[in-house]
Amino acid sequence: MIAAAGSAPSPAAAPGHRRRQLVVLAALAALSIAVHAFAAAVCAPEAPFLKYPLAAEQYLRGGLGAERIADFSQLYLALHVAVQMAGLDPLSTFRILHVAFSTGAALLLFLAVRAAASTGVALAATAGFLLNASVLVYTQLLEPEAMLLFLLLAFAFFAVREERRSLVAAGAFLALCVLTRPTYLPLAAAVPLWLRLRAGAGRPWRAQALCFLAPLAVALVPAAALSPARPGSDMPLVMNPGNVFFEGNNPLAGGLGLAYPPLVDDVAGESPEQPDYQHAVYRTIARGVSGRPLDAAEVNAYWSAKALAFLRDEPREAARRLAGKVRAFLGGYRRHDVLAAFLLDRRLGDSALPAVPFAAVSAFAVVGLAVLAPAWRRWLPFHLVWATQLGLAALVYATDRQRVAVAPFFVFFAAAAAAWALQRRRNLALLAAVALPLTALFSLRSDVMREDEHLWSVYAKSGELRGEAAERRERGDRAGAARATAAALAQTPWMADWIRPSGLSFGPEGLAGAALAQAATVSPADFSGQLDRAILLIEAGRPAEAEPLLLGLAAGRRRFARVFDGSSRPEFYLGVVAALRGDRDGAVRRLEETLARSPGDPFALAWLAALTGRDEPRRLLARYFDEADAAFLEGQAHLRLGHPQAAVEAFAAVNRILPGYRRGRIYLAVALGAAGRYEQAAELYLDTVRERPEPVLLEADVRRIFDGLVAAHPASADARRWREFVRCEFEACPR
């Protein structure tokens, strides 16, 4: 039976059985290595994801403080440190290690399925695992997931065995899992309870539990004592759970991926040499808002309270998002949270390597979970690992990176369903009746999935064009650099503040106008492209042309996922268009419609606060986000609406919380200039660009500062010289 353990071979047959099994395992290992070698050959990344190699390098130089260490997986970072101390190349070394982990997981999966099914089913399951696109992608990416999928499977594999030494091994592997991702710590309590429930009368379950817990205590107690968390913190081993909880549950997140507060990713981007610097920015903002040196636990509590406030205020939205996360966890779409993973996946899909549809595997796995449920005394650790990962995805967000660690468990349960169906014809019919509709359901593509692919594609293309612009400018081809920059903005029109190098001319139409000339024609079916074009038209000062596009998108009830780059609702942009033409009532109506359909949208709240002066939108902005983001977004709205003094006050608040934030200082300078305070504006702007000259932004507003300064001081040679300096930032002046 499926639920029972595999029958052991007779003593006489045991040597032959072991030899055949070793041959099979050796063949599977060779197949695994060949598949990964092929995947590496066809889709090796040009720009690998180097978060951990950079962190290890900084640690060895003494540049990674105790707090920053807590931002990373302790075990995986320690391995990177050890590899660099040994003088090995981290890229090649970890790709080899990842293939070894994936191969080990394939062999353990074969043995686990073989204990519950025939050799044929076990071989098919292992082949399906080896052709899992997510596993192949994350084996090449330098993140802990390739290691985790082996460690988690090894824990479950050894936990279901009867021997005490196997339970010692299970405890050791779980300890390594917890040192990699502390979210698996609850399994340490679940297994002893399972052992107690599994034990019959008089069976020594306590001794088994001690065998399991001993290696956990040996590994985790010293790690907790040496935790980099600050004194007084109650968070040993934990990798910023409050920050991550916020990322998956704030109003911008949508439930299916992470979303930072708008300023967190922007401020982190000002320190590109610092890996995963967003977590440090979370601490900076929380401490700046509170005015106190909050410890790690207090910072995490600050951000988790923001997400909890939103979920409590919007229970229907919370329930909708929870259902969406579960569907995403089970669905066939691979939603990535780093660009490198998306690019690897795309190259892999373009290759000749066959892929097993994950939607079908997931559908079979759902049946397999039910098939093995009556045999929980034997297989409960497999259920626990799978349920723990599903719970984590439901708690935070359901990206492919969250799911790949349990890819072997999906395959294991799918194999159990297949073996059960092969037992009798009636089972096969039942499996088809359940699994085929589930496969169709899990294969459905939504607007958000199409939008996700669109965004990653345009980000990648925009990045290539910006690289081309930098190369052309370096060669002296400024006209070519300007064309590439305009084309980059046409791909990602919400990036006007981040995309422009200095010393390039774009003519009287400006960068946004040049980008419109470069933008390709958008088909009626390309709803993401239509929203991009509408945003670009507004940026270019042609909002009336954007309105018909936005009206069509709003009428079609299309769903977007713009996260921290801007609002995901066409109604918001219709509100902006109405406000820019002076239709205050129409703008308020559109912004309120935005909030009805997308509760807590910070961009809509900021514009509503700036338009109406109401306290409620401002209160909700601070309740769901932080005071720095609230002030910045409201300041932007005030600036666009022609409220310079209100904009000065808002950006001054941002500067108090984030005094080194370059973009915030430039916006404050522009607001000061709009308020007629030209000397202060010019001094702040020049100080800011001397520290870091690029990118240049807000061309018309910045020029007005220095035109106003010259008009106020016509006899000042310094004022004229500064105006010429600024002119050359936005034009191709002779060298």
Side-chain angles (χ1 to χ4, degrees):
M1 289 182 64
I2 294 299
S7 57
S10 65
H17 172 80
R18 284 196 293 269
R19 280 195 297 272
R20 287 194 298 274
Q21 190 172 73
L22 287 173
V23 170
V24 171
L25 292 174
L28 289 174
L31 178 62
S32 174
I33 293 169
V35 169
H36 284 293
F38 179 83
V42 300
C43 60
E46 294 176 3
F49 193 55
L50 298 176
K51 179 173 82 175
Y52 278 92
L54 288 174
E57 183 181 330
Q58 289 182 9
Y59 175 84
L60 291 171
R61 293 202 313 263
L64 199 69
E67 277 193 333
R68 291 287 286 130
I69 293 173
D71 296 339
F72 302 91
S73 161
Q74 290 193 24
L75 178 60
Y76 196 66
L77 178 60
L79 287 175
H80 273 274
V81 170
V83 163
Q84 293 194 25
M85 288 179 67
L88 301 174
D89 173 52
L91 281 175
S92 57
T93 301
F94 272 88
R95 283 176 183 155
I96 292 170
L97 284 175
H98 285 185
V99 171
F101 285 129
S102 183
T103 300
L107 302 185
L108 287 179
L109 178 63
F110 171 81
L111 295 174
V113 175
R114 182 63 189 88
S118 67
T119 300
V121 171
L123 287 171
T126 308
F129 170 75
L130 291 175
L131 295 175
N132 183 297
S134 299
V135 172
L136 294 174
V137 166
Y138 283 94
T139 298
Q140 293 191 59
L141 206 65
L142 268 61
E143 281 283 289
E145 275 62 36
M147 183 171 74
L148 262 180
L149 61 86
F150 169 74
L151 295 177
L152 284 169
L153 184 58
F155 152 71
F157 177 83
F158 286 106
V160 300
R161 300 167 73 89
E162 298 285 341
E163 301 92 344
R164 291 184 182 179
R165 62 183 180 181
S166 294
L167 287 169
V168 172
F173 281 115
L174 182 58
L176 295 175
C177 290
V178 174
L179 289 172
T180 306
R181 293 270 194 257
T183 46
Y184 299 111
L185 191 58
L187 292 170
V191 169
L193 179 60
W194 167 67
L195 291 172
R196 173 67 184 89
L197 294 172
R198 187 181 71 167
R203 293 187 68 180
W205 71 272
R206 290 184 180 85
Q208 290 180 323
L210 285 173
C211 289
F212 171 74
L213 292 172
L216 278 160
V218 168
L220 300 185
V221 170
L226 297 173
S227 169
R230 293 180 54 170
S233 170
D234 58 356
M235 295 167 43
L237 304 174
V238 180
M239 296 168 59
N240 302 303
N243 301 356
V244 176
F245 179 71
F246 175 85
E247 289 166 7
N249 294 285
N250 68 71
L252 288 174
L256 300 182
L258 64 87
Y260 301 113
L263 294 194
V264 165
D265 197 56
D266 193 16
V267 175
E270 294 188 350
S271 301
E273 74 286 351
Q274 292 285 343
D276 213 16
Y277 199 59
Q278 287 84 351
H279 290 296
V281 180
Y282 277 121
R283 291 189 285 271
T284 300
I285 290 177
R287 289 165 182 167
V289 169
S290 70
R292 297 191 299 111
L294 304 178
D295 66 25
E298 290 172 317
V299 170
N300 278 267
Y302 173 87
W303 289 104
S304 61
K306 302 287 185 182
L308 287 170
F310 172 66
L311 297 177
R312 282 195 299 266
D313 289 353
E314 301 291 342
R316 290 181 61 184
E317 180 69 9
R320 186 191 67 79
R321 292 184 179 201
L322 179 62
K325 291 175 187 179
V326 173
R327 286 197 302 271
F329 187 79
L330 298 172
Y333 181 66
R334 294 186 296 279
R335 190 172 196 190
H336 299 294
D337 52 11
V338 292
L339 179 59
F342 171 80
L343 295 175
L344 287 169
D345 201 345
R346 187 167 64 179
R347 292 182 184 183
L348 190 65
D350 292 340
S351 74
L353 193 68
V356 177
F358 184 80
V361 174
S362 181
F364 272 60
V366 169
V367 178
L369 283 160
V371 166
L372 288 185
W376 63 269
R377 282 185 170 83
R378 173 72 197 278
W379 299 111
L380 189 61
F382 281 79
H383 288 81
L384 288 172
V385 171
W386 189 89
T388 297
Q389 200 68 21
L390 173 60
L392 178 62
L395 190 65
V396 288
Y397 45 82
T399 61
D400 198 48
R401 190 150 58 117
Q402 294 282 14
R403 188 173 62 184
V404 69
V406 289
F409 294 83
F410 273 96
V411 175
F412 174 81
F413 288 118
W420 171 77
L422 291 172
Q423 288 179 347
R424 55 178 64 91
R425 190 172 299 175
R426 183 172 66 89
N427 291 358
L428 189 60
L430 284 172
L431 177 63
V434 176
L436 291 179
L438 283 177
T439 300
L441 176 64
F442 295 161
S443 301
L444 291 176
R445 292 176 61 79
S446 67
D447 281 357
V448 171
M449 294 173 189
R450 296 184 184 93
E451 166 87 340
D452 184 60
E453 289 186 337
H454 168 81
L455 290 176
W456 281 126
S457 296
V458 296
Y459 269 123
K461 183 63 177 175
S462 181
E464 292 173 6
L465 288 164
R466 280 178 281 154
E468 179 187 339
E471 291 175 5
R472 286 181 177 275
R473 189 181 64 163
E474 185 68 23
R475 298 199 308 263
D477 180 10
R478 295 197 178 191
R483 285 193 301 272
T485 300
L489 184 62
Q491 292 290 322
T492 52
W494 53 87
M495 294 187 68
D497 282 1
W498 297 275
I499 215 165
R500 180 173 179 171
S502 63
L504 301 180
S505 296
F506 294 94
E509 74 276 13
L511 173 56
L516 271 173
Q518 293 268 2
T521 303
V522 180
S523 72
D526 184 8
F527 61 89
S528 293
Q530 290 179 50
L531 183 60
D532 291 346
R533 185 168 184 83
I535 293 171
L536 188 55
L537 284 164
I538 295 171
E539 184 68 30
R542 294 156 61 177
E545 297 176 48
E547 192 167 25
L549 288 170
L550 294 167
L551 286 169
L553 294 172
R557 296 294 184 100
R558 290 295 192 181
R559 288 190 63 203
F560 297 88
R562 295 301 163 106
V563 293
F564 46 88
D565 294 317
S567 177
S568 295
R569 299 300 319 183
E571 295 84 359
F572 165 76
Y573 299 100
L574 284 168
V576 170
V577 169
L580 292 178
R581 68 164 175 256
D583 181 6
R584 178 187 178 281
D585 292 341
V588 169
R589 177 171 52 82
R590 285 296 189 181
L591 294 170
E592 289 176 343
E593 187 179 350
T594 300
L595 292 169
R597 296 183 177 180
S598 183
D601 183 308
F603 303 95
L605 287 170
W607 274 76
L608 200 57
L611 271 170
T612 66
R614 297 177 195 163
D615 289 334
E616 182 64 6
R618 193 172 290 113
R619 183 188 71 83
L620 291 177
L621 255 179
R623 177 171 168 80
Y624 300 154
F625 291 90
D626 58 279
E627 285 76 356
D629 278 281
F632 187 87
L633 295 178
E634 191 176 342
Q636 281 187 310
H638 281 302
L639 203 57
R640 293 289 294 274
L641 291 167
H643 308 157
Q645 187 53 43
V648 168
E649 293 170 5
F651 291 123
V654 176
N655 198 46
R656 284 193 297 273
I657 298 169
L658 295 167
Y661 176 36
R662 180 182 187 271
R663 185 163 163 250
R665 294 174 71 188
I666 290 175
Y667 267 91
L668 177 56
V670 164
L672 288 166
R677 296 155 66 176
Y678 300 120
E679 291 83 356
Q680 285 179 271
E683 182 179 4
L684 178 58
Y685 182 81
L686 292 170
D687 286 346
T688 302
V689 297
R690 283 180 187 130
E691 293 174 11
R692 187 158 66 89
E694 295 181 313
V696 291
L697 60 148
L698 302 174
E699 176 179 358
D701 301 286
V702 171
R703 284 179 180 253
R704 275 194 290 270
I705 293 173
F706 291 89
D707 288 342
L709 185 68
V710 170
H713 303 280
S716 172
D718 285 340
R720 290 193 299 274
R721 185 175 70 253
W722 292 335
R723 184 173 65 177
E724 180 64 13
F725 167 78
V726 168
R727 185 183 72 81
C728 290
E729 281 195 306
F730 296 104
E731 295 180 16
C733 295
R735 291 185 176 179

